[in-house]
Amino acid sequence: IIHMDLNDCNMLVNAVGKDKKVIAIFDFGDCKRSCTVFDIAICIAYFMLGQSREDGLRSMNQILKSYHKVYPLTDDELDIVWVAICSRILVSVITSAAKIAANPENEKYLLVHARPGRKFLEQYSDIDPMKMSKRIKQMLYDSRL
């Protein structure tokens, strides 16, 4: 079972002092039985939103390194994590457009992730998924040394 919506709006974080950490996760309405790689991809996708390309990739690397230390991803999972990250943003942008059309009174809330999602898709559209997979593996395997 995975959460399917790990994002900044669904986490409570202790931001006091040096021990900054997630202390609670909520909104379990999207939970499903699925591949665990999708949970980390969804989390990464949302934490990359609204950042410069360089900062977004740095965030991705930090989250992947931390996750991989506790729950190592397989080579197959590392091969798809970038596509899963981009797919989540694409789905978010598309579904928000449909939801806004059906419920225009909720537009402000529905655009929280959709507006930066469009920029994300433009920002990373030139990245070859196979090259990114190799880059991710190199980053993770080099960090184990």
Side-chain angles (χ1 to χ4, degrees):
I1 304 281
I2 64 172
H3 187 277
M4 291 285 296
D5 200 19
L6 292 174
N7 67 65
D8 54 324
C9 294
N10 291 335
M11 296 179 185
L12 183 60
V13 178
N14 173 14
V16 178
K18 293 182 181 180
D19 291 332
K20 293 175 178 69
K21 61 184 175 182
V22 175
I23 56 175
I25 296 172
F26 41 90
D27 187 2
F28 295 91
D30 292 339
C31 287
K32 302 220 178 335
R33 184 178 299 255
S34 190
C35 302
T36 54
V37 69
F38 295 141
D39 239 0
I40 194 61
I42 290 165
C43 179
I44 291 167
Y46 285 117
F47 278 89
M48 290 177 73
L49 284 181
Q51 296 193 47
S52 69
R53 182 174 166 132
E54 182 180 312
D55 288 343
L57 292 172
R58 187 177 303 116
S59 291
M60 177 190 73
N61 291 344
Q62 290 172 343
I63 294 168
L64 273 174
K65 281 180 185 179
S66 297
Y67 185 86
H68 194 68
K69 283 180 186 175
V70 176
Y71 191 90
L73 296 165
T74 66
D75 278 350
D76 287 342
E77 290 171 324
L78 293 173
D79 283 339
I80 67 160
V81 72
W82 178 249
V83 173
I85 291 167
C86 295
S87 296
R88 176 52 179 225
I89 298 301
L90 179 61
V91 167
S92 182
V93 169
I94 291 169
T95 57
S96 68
K99 288 178 180 180
I100 289 168
N103 301 293
E105 69 279 7
N106 292 333
E107 181 176 16
K108 184 176 178 181
Y109 170 74
L110 293 168
L111 286 175
V112 166
H113 290 127
R115 187 172 285 130
R118 289 186 196 114
K119 183 177 179 190
F120 173 99
L121 294 170
E122 292 171 8
Q123 208 171 350
Y124 298 103
S125 65
D126 65 327
I127 293 179
D128 179 309
M130 297 304 289
K131 288 180 181 175
M132 180 57 85
S133 169
K134 288 178 184 174
R135 185 177 166 269
I136 288 169
K137 287 177 184 178
Q138 183 178 20
M139 178 266 305
L140 289 175
Y141 298 149
D142 287 350
S143 70
R144 283 196 247 168
L145 300 176

